Amino acid sequence: MRFPTVLGKMKVSGVILAIPMLISCASAAVPIVIEIDNLATEDFQPQQVHISIGESNLDMVITWLTVNETPSSVVEFGTTDLSNSTLGSRKEFTDGGDEHRQMWIHRVTLKTLQPNTTYFYHCGSPLGWSEIFFFKTWKNGTDWPVSVAMYGDMGAVNAQSLSRLQEETQKGMYDAIIHVGDFAYDMDSDNARVGDEFMRQIQPIAAYVPYMTCPGNHEQKYNFSNYRARFSMPNYEDTESLFYSWNMGKAHFIAVNTEAYYYLQYGMKPLSRQYDWLINDLEEATKPEVRAVYPWIILFGHRPMYCSNNDHDDCTKVNCLTRVGLPLMHTYAMEEVLDKYGVDLAIWAHEHSYERLWPMYNFTVMNGSESKPYTNAKAPVHFTTGSAGCDENHDHFMPEQPYWSAFRAIDYGYTRLSVYNNTHLYWEQVSDDQNGKILDSVWLVRDRHVSYKKIRNEEL
């Protein structure tokens, strides 16, 4: 007897699937149709894995997402195997879009790790595990050169710098990555699916080195809910990763939320609270005994105080809000704070270009000297690095370069920054358009890290 092969059909959640079936019948075969409606699917697999530094430099926070809730949130890790295990927490996040998509954000903190040590890890639960990743903890103390990559404005589409950064990160070139606002374009788009895709794209970077962030204007939807839910910066339980600081090598890094100046529909409290925190943080960081250990203060936030781009962004205006504060009373002005506390370097994004300024305060250039402008400068130094690549492409410059602008480029790319010792800091701008060519490089030298006003008064 022949057993002819026929095609049966199965309907699963509205999709017709053809499957081979054996029918033991000598007569003409009759297709069998099996319909299963409303079949529920579940996804417990970890995705979008990324890490960040914790409350101390020997703590690492592992963050990931699952579509469905899992019975536990676990990281298994070790230096040669995965023999150690730490439990964490999970929290449901509901996107604000029309579909109100739900997902689960998991966080596990690995505490008191050994310095200068490579750890292997995976994350998940008994229902599903990620692949194995690794990271190397920072060296003990401060006497080691810090190397970071910095950029802003990288999207899920046209992320020109992504592949080079993935490669360089996995080769061990960086101790951390700093993303200066504007992710995915936008994280909330398509009911947060664009955010999911972007977080998957950066996993080959962010699962291997601390991926430190601050919010930009493209994160503002639903009161920055996707940003606040997805990232886990130091003290995130209190400030929701909007502003924070940490020490690395001889540098004190400060992240601020410039968007608090522009989205006042979410209230004044985010701005006033951040400003008070910033003053307190700088008061502590500039105590003589503290600054002797961490002499370099590097502040970053999304929107620049100055820019010469050919658009109508606030940084093209004399009374830029982040620089002079809110209108009329000029409250919460930041430029005078940078000057007062001797902040060495201010790094911004938002403009899809790279621009380095001369040392300046209140539109007055204050170079260290004519021949060495960045040696013992008399005012903070600013640069903008917002050209990592997104679907909005480049922001071009005004034809005439202002007197306070030292170098400009619209190539796609990113910044490499290194803090070498108490007195010397270096950065360079990498061009992705020109296959990794260095477009600009600067040594910033400060023999004394004190208030710029004090330095200027001494020269009177």
Side-chain angles (χ1 to χ4, degrees), residues 261 268 271 275 321 324-333:
Y261 289 82
M268 286 290 297
L271 178 56
Y275 189 83
L321 295 183
V324 303
L326 299 182
L328 301 179
M329 299 298 293
H330 296 298
T331 49
Y332 311 116

Side-chain angles (χ1 to χ4, degrees), residues 3-282:
F3 295 89
T5 300
V6 300
L7 291 179
K9 295 183 179 180
M10 180 178 293
K11 182 179 180 182
V12 182
S13 296
V15 179
I16 303 294
L17 300 177
I19 57 174
M21 303 186 69
L22 294 178
I23 307 297
S24 57
C25 179
S27 58
V30 178
I32 298 177
V33 177
I34 305 174
E35 294 195 7
I36 305 177
D37 292 317
N38 301 318
L39 180 66
T41 61
E42 294 181 310
D43 185 355
F44 305 110
Q45 193 63 31
Q47 55 176 286
Q48 308 172 35
V49 180
H50 54 107
I51 67 176
S52 54
I53 204 68
E55 295 304 303
S56 87
N57 286 1
L58 296 179
D59 296 348
M60 198 70 76
V61 182
I62 319 296
T63 307
W64 71 95
L65 179 147
T66 59
V67 175
N68 293 103
E69 184 180 11
T70 61
S72 56
S73 305
V74 187
V75 171
E76 295 180 338
F77 66 102
T79 57
T80 57
D81 55 26
L82 304 179
S83 57
N84 301 293
S85 180
T86 298
L87 285 169
S89 63
R90 58 203 175 276
K91 186 175 182 179
E92 187 176 29
F93 168 62
T94 302
D95 174 62
D98 294 340
E99 296 180 16
H100 299 293
R101 287 183 63 232
Q102 295 174 321
M103 56 201 80
W104 289 84
I105 309 296
H106 304 256
R107 293 180 172 95
V108 173
T109 301
L110 309 182
K111 291 182 174 293
T112 60
L113 301 169
Q114 293 300 308
N116 198 28
T117 301
T118 298
Y119 286 89
F120 299 90
Y121 74 97
H122 68 175
C123 55
S125 74
L127 298 181
W129 294 94
S130 72
E131 59 264 50
I132 295 176
F133 305 103
F134 63 86
F135 62 82
K136 188 174 183 179
T137 51
W138 297 339
K139 295 179 181 178
N140 214 1
T142 63
D143 194 19
W144 52 280
V146 166
S147 180
V148 301
M150 301 187 70
Y151 52 86
D153 302 80
M154 187 162 72
V157 174
N158 194 35
Q160 294 282 332
S161 297
L162 182 62
S163 61
R164 193 181 306 278
L165 287 163
Q166 291 171 338
E167 180 183 14
E168 291 179 348
T169 296
Q170 295 189 24
K171 285 182 175 179
M173 286 182 58
Y174 304 118
D175 302 300
I177 304 293
I178 299 176
H179 190 142
V180 192
D182 277 6
F183 307 78
Y185 284 73
D186 292 344
M187 299 189 84
D188 64 275
S189 295
D190 192 15
N191 293 278
R193 290 182 181 87
V194 173
D196 289 340
E197 177 58 28
F198 177 80
M199 297 301 292
R200 285 190 286 265
Q201 289 178 10
I202 66 167
Q203 180 176 281
I205 302 171
Y208 295 91
V209 295
Y211 199 88
M212 313 304 288
T213 63
C214 70
N217 57 296
H218 279 269
E219 283 71 70
Q220 70 86 18
K221 201 72 172 291
Y222 315 122
N223 196 7
F224 300 87
S225 63
N226 268 271
Y227 174 85
R228 292 186 289 113
R230 292 175 186 267
F231 291 105
S232 309
M233 298 300 107
N235 203 28
Y236 68 88
E237 292 177 331
D238 181 33
T239 67
E240 297 183 291
S241 304
L242 296 171
F243 55 90
Y244 60 95
S245 65
W246 82 97
N247 299 316
M248 181 166 48
K250 292 183 178 295
H252 180 66
F253 287 86
I254 302 173
V256 294
N257 173 23
T258 59
E259 305 317 295
Y261 289 82
Y262 297 93
Y263 293 101
L264 297 178
Q265 67 265 39
Y266 299 128
M268 286 290 297
K269 186 175 180 180
L271 178 56
S272 63
R273 184 174 181 233
Q274 173 180 261
Y275 189 83
D276 291 342
W277 170 87
L278 177 61
I279 298 300
N280 291 334
D281 186 86
L282 286 169

Side-chain angles (χ1 to χ4, degrees), residues 153 157-158 182 185-186 218 352 390-395 412:
D153 302 80
V157 174
N158 194 35
D182 277 6
Y185 284 73
D186 292 344
H218 279 269
H352 301 165
C390 67
D391 59 10
E392 293 183 356
N393 301 318
H394 300 293
D395 285 336
Y412 288 116

